[in-house]
């Protein structure tokens, strides 16, 4: 059974990935939230190149990945849900929520720890905000994130199906909540009571550092409210806000080679760090 599930995992993940990518891309084309000044022809090939590179790195360094580790923990009896008897109807959604909370905490940490911010800031340095921004992560960040996620799977003893559901949800919601898509105001207000919407997450990509360090959630919208990091709207509004960070503002910085090199480049001057986490 584990071997069959592991063999099917890539098919499930790829099907969901390309399905959500196609839907959000179409949505962005039909009803964009903001006009974009930088062409997709520049940004998208470089952002998708990161996806290919990161997929290779993950498969090379973590051949079992999250689902494989979950099967191993299950067979060894490791982790909370393998020690404490919990019915499946509670254990599976419970594990998904706890993994999501872990990713929220990880995201906060990537903003708070200088070394990790150097890796993560490449994600924020995108000068536009669309479905491919949700895929734009430095390989170094991907490796650290995988180590944290695998540790969480082991500690929780999350069921393999819970891990698969979580990973598919994380990938899908990352593309959705980075989408340059327009939602009716009333619908957005209702949805963000439960999930992170594009308007909610766009605030997090503001150049204003007070807004950058808010709205850390990816899947469910509750963690930011619970831990006091929620910000409803950008101060300048979604149409006038500036995206990105105060470094790497030239279009040349959107090329793959520059993105990969960003963590090693000089950070903002020390005198400017009083309001920044860097």
């Amino acid at each position: 059974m584990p071997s069959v599930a592991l063999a099917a995992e890539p098919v499930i993940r790829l099907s969901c990935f390309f399905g959500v990518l196609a839907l959000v891309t179409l949505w962005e084309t039909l009803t964009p939230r903001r006009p974009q000044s930088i062409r997709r022809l520049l940004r998208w090939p470089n952002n998708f190149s990161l996806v290919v590179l990161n997929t290779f790195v993950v498969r090379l360094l973590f051949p079992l990945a999250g689902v494989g580790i979950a099967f191993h923990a299950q067979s060894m009896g490791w982790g909370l849900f393998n020690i404490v008897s919990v019915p499946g109807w509670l254990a599976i959604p419970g594990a998904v929520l706890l993994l999501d909370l872990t990713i929220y905490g990880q995201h906060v940490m990537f903003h708070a720890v200088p070394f990790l911010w150097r890796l993560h800031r490449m994600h924020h340095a995108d000068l536009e905000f669309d479905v491919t921004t949700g895929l734009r992560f430095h390989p170094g960040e991907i490796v650290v994130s995988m180590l944290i996620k695998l540790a969480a799977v082991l500690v929780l003893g999350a069921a393999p199906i819970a891990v698969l559901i979580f990973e598919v949800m994380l990938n899908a919601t990352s593309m959705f909540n980075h989408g340059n898509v327009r939602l009716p105001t009333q619908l957005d207000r209702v949805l963000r009571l439960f999930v992170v919407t594009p308007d909610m997450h766009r605030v997090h990509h503001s150049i204003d550092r007070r807004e950058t360090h808010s709205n850390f959630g990816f899947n469910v919208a509750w963690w930011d409210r619970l831990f006091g990091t929620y910000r409803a709207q950008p101060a300048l509004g979604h149409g006038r806000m500036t995206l990105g960070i105060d470094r790497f503002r030239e279009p040349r910085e959107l090329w793959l080679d520059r993105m990969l090199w960003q963590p090693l480049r000089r950070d903002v001057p020390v005198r400017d760090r009083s309001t920044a986490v860097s």
Side-chain angles (χ1 to χ4, degrees), residues 78-227:
W78 295 342
L80 176 65
F81 289 110
N82 290 318
I83 296 173
V84 180
S85 180
V86 180
W89 63 266
L90 179 60
I92 291 173
V96 171
L97 281 175
L98 289 172
L99 287 170
D100 193 57
L101 176 59
T102 300
I103 295 302
Y104 167 86
Q106 171 194 295
H107 197 176
V108 173
M109 184 175 68
F110 268 94
H111 279 246
V113 178
F115 165 70
L116 297 178
W117 170 246
R118 282 181 170 270
L119 294 174
H120 183 61
R121 70 181 180 183
M122 193 209 75
H123 174 67
H124 281 267
D126 200 346
L127 299 178
E128 298 287 1
F129 181 91
D130 64 19
V131 63
T132 68
T133 308
L135 307 172
R136 175 189 155 122
F137 294 95
H138 195 278
E141 177 174 0
I142 293 295
V143 170
V144 175
S145 179
M146 279 297 297
L147 290 172
I148 293 171
K149 183 167 63 177
L150 295 181
V153 170
L154 286 173
V155 169
L156 292 173
I161 185 62
V163 176
L164 180 59
I165 290 171
F166 168 73
E167 291 188 330
V168 169
M169 283 179 55
L170 183 65
N171 191 250
T173 54
S174 182
M175 288 188 282
F176 164 68
N177 60 43
H178 285 88
N180 182 32
V181 298
R182 185 178 297 276
L183 278 170
T185 303
Q186 291 296 335
L187 179 59
D188 177 83
R189 187 174 293 124
V190 172
L191 283 178
R192 69 167 60 193
L193 294 174
F194 306 98
V195 299
V196 177
T197 66
D199 274 13
M200 179 178 168
H201 192 68
R202 191 178 296 104
V203 178
H204 182 72
H205 281 257
S206 167
I207 198 171
D208 184 331
R209 295 174 188 178
R210 295 166 299 178
E211 295 173 351
T212 305
H213 305 311
S214 68
N215 295 7
F216 294 98
F218 266 94
N219 281 331
V220 299
W222 309 323
W223 311 127
D224 285 297
R225 289 181 172 87
L226 183 62
F227 294 104

Side-chain angles (χ1 to χ4, degrees), residues 245-263:
I245 58 177
D246 56 6
R247 295 284 323 274
F248 317 121
R249 302 293 305 173
E250 297 299 321
R252 178 67 177 87
E253 301 294 345
L254 301 173
W255 291 29
L256 180 63
D257 61 326
R258 291 292 184 93
M259 289 193 287
L260 293 175
W261 189 246
Q262 277 184 20

